Amino acid sequence: QVQLVESGGGLVQPGGSLTLSCTASGSGRIFSMGWYRQAPGKQRDLVASITDGGSTDYADSVKGRFTISGDNAKNAVYLLMNSLKPEDTAIYYCNVKTSSWSGVRESWGRGTQVTVTS
């Protein structure tokens, strides 16, 4: 019931910037939103997340370069990515955790490709 629409992926040169956006729709209360990334043959790892209370969490590899923010009114989350490196290349997935009458649900976007050329 929760659908996520992602945008902002693309191809950039090292040192460049991208902004990823994710908007959630559907029933349930959102208590966490974030971004994960996955490269072929690797596990999906947290990039950054933010709770409804404003607490943030970042992977060590992106601290100081990426900034996550949210807009509760729009049910949206944004990832501002600066100083991109080739190792940032991956499929980025929006993640949303919601609660409703049916319980807790974790939803994933379809993914958006971020490619940083070397």
Side-chain angles (χ1 to χ4, degrees), residues 3 9 32 38 59 61 64 69 73 76 86-87 95 99-100 105 109 112 115-116:
Q3 291 186 316
S32 179
Q38 185 174 27
S61 60
S69 61
E87 50 263 43
N95 172 268
S99 62
S100 66
R105 175 179 296 183
T112 182
T115 302
V116 185

Side-chain angles (χ1 to χ4, degrees), residues 16-39:
S17 299
L18 284 174
T19 299
L20 303 183
S21 300
C22 177
T23 302
S25 62
S27 62
R29 176 182 178 273
I30 298 174
F31 58 89
S32 179
M33 298 186 72
W35 290 93
Y36 290 68
R37 65 187 182 188
Q38 185 174 27

Side-chain angles (χ1 to χ4, degrees), residues 68-89:
I68 191 167
S69 61
D71 187 335
N72 291 334
K74 297 181 179 180
N75 290 330
V77 65
Y78 310 95
L79 185 66
L80 312 179
M81 304 185 294
N82 295 318
S83 302
L84 283 163
K85 304 175 180 179
E87 50 263 43
D88 295 319
T89 297

